[in-house]
Amino acid sequence: MSKDAGPGGPTMAETKTPIGFIRNEGRRLMDRWWQEMTAADGAGRPTAYVFVMGSLDEILRVFDLPINCPEITSLQTAVRGRSLEYLQTAEGYGYSPDICGYVKADVGLQLKDRQHPNGTVPKPALAIATNMCNTYIKWAEIWEQMYHCPVFVLDLPAWRGGDVTPRVDGEAFRNDRRYVEGQLRDLIGLCERLTGRRFDIDRLREVMAEVNRMAAGYQAVLSLNRHRPAPFSAIREGIVFQGISNLYRGAPEGSRFFEGAAEELRERIHLGMGTLNEKYRLLLTGTTCYAALKRFAELFEEWGGVFVHSTYMVFAGGGFGSDFAYDVTRPIESLAETLLLSAWRGFSTPMFYAQDWLAETVREWSVDGICFHGVKSCRTTSTGLPDVREWLRTHFDIPGLFIQSDLVDPRMWSDAQLKNRIDAFIESLAGRRATAAR
Ligand code: SF4
């Protein structure tokens, strides 16, 4: 085995052809993460619960804290077709049907002794939330009440400078950075007390360098989907990319995964292997419905509609913008600075100020139309979607479809209604194309 191989994992040299790498290695890494979670539970190891927007894995890895990402475990209950039983357990306990489906699936999981279809979720010894979604803070308070664990809330100030892009050399940005740096030092102190270990700044440098490597690989993967036909589906394989980018952030296996994934995608392009029968290139705003993931994709794919990108791959994909790069010579300052920039450009912009990002992506990824998927239990990502659709139509003549269901709640999936809307939308794209060809 080459010295590059991860524990038990294949290397690119061994696989001869990279085709199949994403599926096989993605599955292996996901299984390994579940084995580690289950083992941490068995051993009673202190574990951190984090969220995908601002996980602070960089610091947690320095203390070797296993990381649980409850948005991902909730999503997985839906992909496994089991979310309803967890949702109903939470509702039976008193949670209202319109609360975020991820929260309720997780509460149901905690109430079922943390038994998940994929393994056992350990108890939290620490919960980290950010202000990127207000639900995060209330969700973390649930664990605090259940397990009496400390909750650390990272407050990332929104950009208030008036310019569209923050000026990193300006006084306002410097003040914000100092404010975030102070919070990071508080978290380091909390981790030291929790684990009994001293903070090692050189280990932080190593982890941050690994995150830089992963960010470059993640960006390479996204960019390859500019190709026609797209080599991957942003909602089918996109879910694997998002999972690995969050769970293996700062770990060499995670960086290697994206390098291998990019190699497989280049090979697919070289061999002329696109996703199924691409006729229309689509962009998804928000998430798909994970309780009907396959069907969601099929409703578009039966017309040759392929999702080449999504806002979810940006705001829930580690905040890896195209210019993401830590300066490891000044680690804590750079971590604070990058968190602020990620909060603004990576997390908030595709969610709350999506119009410019969408218009640019439509141009650069040669997109024919946008699907705006309103998630009934997630106001954070769904508010204002019809307005954005209208703005893009009137300003740029970009066609958009607005549909609604949920992230994880199968009761919100109305197949006939959605099929009608999607069929009509694709027919309208066909009509536009025919008109343009005349
Ligand atoms: S962004 Fe939406 S889905 Fe995610 S935690 Fe917030 S409310 Fe729930």
Side-chain angles (χ1 to χ4, degrees):
M1 182 174 284
S2 121
K3 64 181 168 52
D4 282 344
T11 63
M12 298 308 295
E14 283 172 335
T15 54
K16 291 194 181 74
T17 166
I19 301 299
F21 174 86
I22 295 171
R23 188 184 62 242
N24 298 335
E25 184 64 355
R27 187 175 299 156
R28 188 188 75 81
L29 289 177
M30 199 52 82
D31 288 349
R32 210 185 101 194
W33 178 67
W34 269 105
Q35 285 155 10
E36 284 170 4
M37 291 250 288
T38 305
D41 177 64
R45 275 183 73 193
T47 304
Y49 280 24
V50 304
F51 294 106
V52 297
M53 290 187 283
S55 64
L56 297 178
D57 287 1
E58 288 80 349
I59 289 175
L60 300 174
R61 275 196 191 277
V62 171
F63 293 95
D64 283 332
L65 279 161
I67 292 157
N68 175 29
C69 227
E71 288 151 298
I72 294 180
T73 56
S74 289
L75 180 160
Q76 288 174 327
T77 64
V79 173
R80 294 290 302 266
R82 298 273 303 275
S83 50
L84 190 55
E85 62 193 83
Y86 293 98
L87 295 172
Q88 287 177 331
T89 301
E91 287 167 12
Y93 191 72
Y95 283 82
S96 148
D98 66 352
I99 286 175
C100 165
Y102 278 172
V103 173
K104 278 191 304 174
D106 174 65
V107 168
L109 175 66
Q110 303 297 341
L111 292 173
K112 283 173 173 284
D113 284 332
R114 296 168 285 104
Q115 297 306 307
H116 188 280
N118 294 358
T120 305
V121 171
K123 290 180 187 171
L126 166 68
I128 295 182
T130 65
N131 59 340
M132 289 297 97
C133 168
N134 55 357
T135 300
Y136 282 178
I137 300 167
K138 304 314 286 179
W139 191 351
E141 285 173 1
I142 297 172
W143 303 321
E144 185 181 34
Q145 283 164 16
M146 282 182 168
Y147 300 109
H148 309 290
C149 62
V151 169
F152 179 88
V153 178
L154 177 70
D155 180 26
L156 292 169
W159 178 239
R160 308 169 306 287
D163 311 329
V164 175
T165 312
R167 285 192 41 217
V168 292
D169 55 348
E171 192 188 348
F173 189 83
R174 280 203 307 273
N175 288 340
D176 283 357
R177 190 185 60 210
R178 273 198 292 272
Y179 173 59
V180 174
E181 260 184 79
Q183 296 178 69
L184 296 180
R185 291 185 199 282
D186 287 347
L187 175 63
I188 289 169
L190 180 57
C191 290
E192 284 186 326
R193 290 193 296 281
L194 190 72
T195 61
R197 292 170 65 158
R198 290 290 302 275
F199 173 63
D200 177 351
I201 199 152
D202 290 327
R203 175 73 186 123
L204 178 64
R205 287 195 173 92
E206 266 172 40
V207 174
M208 288 170 73
E210 207 57 64
V211 176
N212 281 346
R213 190 177 152 203
M214 175 184 270
Y218 192 83
Q219 278 300 320
V221 163
L222 293 187
S223 282
L224 285 161
N225 243 18
R226 296 176 195 223
H227 187 268
R228 278 174 176 269
F232 74 91
S233 157
I235 62 173
R236 287 182 185 268
E237 284 161 310
I239 190 178
V240 179
F241 298 145
Q242 283 171 270
I244 305 296
S245 71
N246 283 290
L247 302 178
Y248 285 86
R249 185 183 180 98
E253 306 91 301
S255 315
R256 279 198 294 269
F257 172 78
F258 284 103
E259 288 162 4
E263 201 170 318
E264 171 169 355
L265 296 175
R266 282 187 204 101
E267 182 68 3
R268 288 187 197 179
I269 289 171
H270 173 70
L271 296 174
M273 293 169 63
T275 48
L276 316 162
N277 181 29
E278 177 182 303
K279 287 202 189 114
Y280 302 101
R281 294 168 64 82
L282 305 170
L283 176 56
L284 179 67
T285 300
T287 72
T288 176
C289 175
Y290 293 104
L293 175 63
K294 191 161 163 274
R295 183 66 182 145
F296 190 105
E298 273 170 10
L299 286 173
F300 293 92
E301 287 169 356
E302 61 196 18
W303 289 92
V306 170
F307 285 97
V308 298
H309 208 340
S310 74
T311 54
Y312 204 38
M313 289 202 72
V314 179
F315 66 77
F320 294 147
S322 53
D323 53 357
F324 185 103
Y326 287 132
D327 178 354
V328 298
T329 62
R330 46 183 190 97
I332 297 185
E333 192 182 317
S334 177
L335 182 55
E337 191 172 290
T338 309
L339 275 163
L340 277 166
L341 292 172
S342 294
W344 180 250
R345 295 177 189 153
F347 304 141
S348 308
T349 304
M351 259 202 304
F352 303 125
Y353 309 98
Q355 60 278 7
D356 295 336
W357 183 86
L358 289 169
E360 187 185 319
T361 307
V362 163
R363 274 195 307 275
E364 296 196 357
W365 268 257
S366 314
V367 165
D368 296 298
I370 304 177
C371 172
F372 295 85
H373 180 220
V375 173
K376 287 189 180 162
S377 71
C378 172
R379 258 105 29 215
T380 305
T381 61
S382 306
T383 305
L385 290 187
D387 296 331
V388 176
R389 181 184 70 145
E390 189 55 18
W391 193 89
L392 288 168
R393 188 186 67 77
T394 50
H395 286 75
F396 293 113
D397 190 31
I398 296 171
L401 163 73
F402 179 69
I403 52 174
Q404 278 183 296
S405 69
D406 192 65
L407 296 152
V408 291
D409 192 339
R411 295 167 297 186
M412 299 291 170
W413 180 261
S414 172
D415 198 86
Q417 218 177 62
L418 289 164
K419 179 166 170 43
N420 253 338
R421 305 282 315 280
I422 292 165
D423 287 356
F425 177 62
I426 302 271
E427 278 169 14
S428 77
L429 293 184
R432 283 171 65 95
R433 194 171 280 179
T435 308
R438 272 191 214 127

